[in-house]
Amino acid sequence: WGPSLAFWDEAGPERGWIYFPAIDQLFFASRGGGAFLNGKPIRASHVETYSNLCTVGTVSRLHRRHRLRCPAKHRILGSIIVNLCYVATGSFAATYSRGNVWDIAAGLVIARESGAVVDTDPAVDSIDISSIDPNAKPRPSSVSVWAMANDRLPHFKQYIETIPDPITAK
């Protein structure tokens, strides 16, 4: 757990800070300036294939509607920002998460600046941050985030298979 803070401009998240006080880790990144952990540069992994030697992070409810068919160690840490930071440091090869834009903004810039490839739905550059009201009812829709360590690693989305709903599939 930890607080995250992002500066968002017309092109999306421009700077991000995430601090994990229990382990005294401060992540920081700025667009075009690289990513850092406690002031030292970090890079995502150079892994090119998923295997039992790498780790991927997912969300706890993934199994309810999806099957993950990825040859890797699967971890559910319960935190979108931790997952994105672990991809940024090379600890995770990939991650899939869903969250509100304010939950993921800092992690997006940190992961991207570490060399990771990040894909969102909706696309981050299409989100008008000034129009989001976090107090609106119903709440604003969440953003799906797939982060892969690099552009040589296959898109993590292809390993998440939707399970047909037995009630509506009839």
Side-chain angles (χ1 to χ4, degrees):
W1 63 271
S4 65
L5 176 68
F7 175 78
W8 191 288
D9 64 16
E10 61 281 345
E14 193 272 331
R15 277 177 267 161
W17 299 262
I18 297 174
Y19 181 60
F20 300 121
I23 53 178
D24 195 28
Q25 290 185 334
L26 175 64
F27 289 82
F28 168 74
S30 62
R31 190 182 310 126
F36 301 87
L37 169 56
N38 292 339
K40 296 180 180 165
I42 56 174
R43 293 292 303 165
S45 174
H46 296 292
V47 66
E48 295 184 17
T49 59
Y50 296 103
S51 74
N52 290 331
L53 299 175
C54 65
T55 304
V56 297
T58 60
V59 295
S60 60
R61 286 173 264 162
L62 183 79
H63 68 283
R64 290 186 182 168
R65 288 192 228 160
H66 302 87
R67 185 174 299 123
L68 185 58
R69 297 192 179 271
C70 182
K73 294 177 236 165
H74 304 257
R75 298 293 179 255
I76 301 169
L77 301 179
S79 172
I80 295 169
I81 58 174
V82 169
N83 287 354
L84 289 168
C85 287
Y86 280 14
V87 170
T89 62
S91 297
F92 281 6
T95 188
Y96 164 73
S97 299
R98 287 184 58 78
N100 294 305
V101 69
W102 53 85
D103 294 324
I104 63 169
L108 292 177
V109 69
I110 290 167
R112 285 180 174 157
E113 286 301 316
S114 74
V117 175
V118 181
D119 184 21
T120 64
D121 183 20
V124 170
D125 59 1
S126 72
I127 297 172
D128 178 8
I129 198 78
S130 65
S131 70
I132 295 176
D133 178 1
N135 300 314
K137 301 284 189 228
R139 292 191 58 130
S141 63
S142 60
V143 177
S144 293
V145 179
W146 296 269
M148 288 70 58
N150 58 66
D151 60 2
R152 294 173 310 283
L153 196 61
H155 199 296
F156 193 44
K157 187 188 253 185
Q158 76 183 42
Y159 294 96
I160 301 172
E161 174 186 314
T162 301
I163 300 170
D165 183 346
I167 295 170
T168 61
K170 292 180 181 179

